Amino acid sequence: MALPETIAFGLFAFVTIASSLGVVLLRDMWHSALMLGVALLSVAIHYVMLRAEFVATMQILVYVGGVLILITFAVMLTRKDEPAESAEVTT
């Protein structure tokens, strides 16, 4: 393995681990879903580096395209808006 490939592997391994930790540790569901997309994309990049282009394509189409869109819709539909500050009425 050449030095540039080793550096790229280390960089994307760090991105994968950091974004996976972000999925678990972030409190906001929207940011967790975005971190999941980053983690899935970086796994697809690992597949490309292993010269498994078909598996990388399926990773992007099925997981990033399908599952992440489903999670995004679920987050958007179940997200609770913060109540607006109501004007206090004094009597």
Side-chain angles (χ1 to χ4, degrees):
M1 197 180 232
L3 183 62
E5 293 174 357
T6 305
I7 292 172
F9 177 81
L11 175 70
F12 286 112
F14 175 76
V15 169
T16 303
I17 292 171
S19 59
S20 298
L21 285 173
V23 170
V24 177
L25 298 177
L26 289 174
R27 290 186 160 269
D28 188 27
M29 286 192 314
W30 180 252
H31 290 120
S32 291
L34 291 176
M35 287 291 110
L36 180 63
V38 171
L40 292 173
L41 279 174
S42 64
V43 169
I45 291 172
H46 284 291
Y47 287 139
V48 169
M49 291 173 63
L50 290 171
R51 291 177 177 79
E53 288 85 8
F54 179 75
V55 179
T57 304
M58 291 300 108
Q59 170 83 16
I60 291 171
L61 289 177
V62 173
Y63 288 109
V64 178
V67 174
L68 197 61
I69 295 298
L70 181 67
I71 290 173
T72 303
F73 284 140
V75 167
M76 287 174 22
L77 291 174
T78 60
R79 190 170 191 174
K80 292 176 83 174
D81 290 332
E82 297 295 323
E85 294 182 26
S86 61
E88 293 184 23
V89 178
T90 57
T91 56

